[in-house]
Amino acid sequence: AQSVTQLGSHVSVSEGALVLLRCNYSSSVPPYLFWYVQYPNQGLQLLLKYTTGATLVKGINGFEAEFKKSETSFHLTKPSAHMSDAAEYFCAVSERDAGNNRKLIWGLGTSLAVNP
Amino acid sequence: DAMVIQNPRYQVTQFGKPVTLSCSQTLNHNVMYWYQQKSSQAPKLLFHYYDKDFNNEADTPDNFQSRRPNTSFCFLDIRSPGLGDAAMYLCATSMGGLVGYTFGSGTRLTVV
């Protein structure tokens, strides 16, 4: 079974600083990888995804992530943090269940705080 | 805009009193999911419908049931809510899960 590890349950950065949220996965097959953001009392919003092709993926709100197969990583970055980026971030990998349906395996999430 | 809509946003129910949460979608996605999310935790998949086929997660309590009368609507029924069922309930849709899920805004359930 696939799994997702997010290093650091809490990350704090200063406004304008680089944001780096780490995600490692385990998968025996080429993975589909996702980053979602969740603001308080809201659902999850897709930031970006990797399925095939270019390994550097650009998403919304200035975020991007790079799929590194050799490192089994899909870290999320943003060059300059904004106060509005404060939220919970989830990394996920898609796998097929026993019924051959795809479902998401979630990391535990990283809470990002942005300090003025 | 095409989207996933959950009603209500906030629901308060009494201990043991059946409650139903609803989800509708205008995306025409064939898969609909129900997740439970407790504070500071990742979403936990309860079950999903692949078209009309119901798929229950092995550890989903029998207290939780679901109905999907048509492509657009899906309901989560909690037959006898306990205090431990207080959580955010998230509905999501996808086209076979290949391109990521679209989530609703969630329903925050409080059990009193």
Side-chain angles (χ1 to χ4, degrees), chain A residues 32 34 36 38 41-46 49 51 88 90 94 96-97 101-104 106-109, chain B residues 9-10 33 35 37 41-43 45 48 50 55 57 88 90 96-101 103-105 108:
Chain A
Y32 291 175
F34 306 85
Y36 284 85
Q38 186 176 30
N41 285 315
Q42 295 289 325
L44 286 87
Q45 180 182 12
L46 181 65
K49 63 182 183 290
T51 54
E88 190 82 16
F90 291 95
S94 176
R96 290 193 184 276
D97 63 15
N101 301 319
R102 280 196 174 271
K103 64 179 183 181
L104 290 178
W106 296 88
L108 295 179
Chain B
R9 288 294 312 278
Y10 300 91
Y33 308 81
Y35 283 89
Q37 187 182 27
Q41 296 184 19
L45 183 63
H48 71 278
Y50 200 107
N55 299 271
E57 293 301 298
M88 174 75 90
L90 297 166
L98 294 177
V99 292
Y101 296 6
F103 281 83
S105 297
R108 171 75 64 186

Side-chain angles (χ1 to χ4, degrees), chain A:
Chain A
Q2 299 182 16
S3 65
V4 177
T5 301
Q6 291 184 239
L7 295 176
S9 58
H10 297 277
V11 170
S12 181
V13 301
S14 298
E15 191 173 19
L18 171 71
V19 176
L20 170 61
L21 304 182
R22 300 178 187 273
C23 174
N24 289 87
Y25 67 91
S26 67
S27 174
S28 59
V29 297
Y32 291 175
L33 296 159
F34 306 85
W35 275 101
Y36 284 85
V37 61
Q38 186 176 30
Y39 299 100
N41 285 315
Q42 295 289 325
L44 286 87
Q45 180 182 12
L46 181 65
L47 272 178
L48 47 79
K49 63 182 183 290
Y50 169 80
T51 54
T52 59
T55 56
L56 182 62
V57 179
K58 295 187 183 298
I60 62 172
N61 301 339
F63 284 92
E64 61 183 36
E66 186 171 10
F67 169 58
K68 292 188 176 181
K69 183 178 179 180
S70 61
E71 299 177 7
T72 61
S73 69
F74 191 56
H75 301 331
L76 182 70
T77 61
K78 181 174 180 178
S80 177
H82 192 273
M83 297 294 289
S84 62
D85 295 326
E88 190 82 16
Y89 291 80
F90 291 95
C91 181
V93 62
S94 176
E95 73 166 14
R96 290 193 184 276
D97 63 15
N100 205 36
N101 301 319
R102 280 196 174 271
K103 64 179 183 181
L104 290 178
I105 305 301
W106 296 88
L108 295 179
T110 297
S111 177
L112 175 66
V114 181
N115 305 310

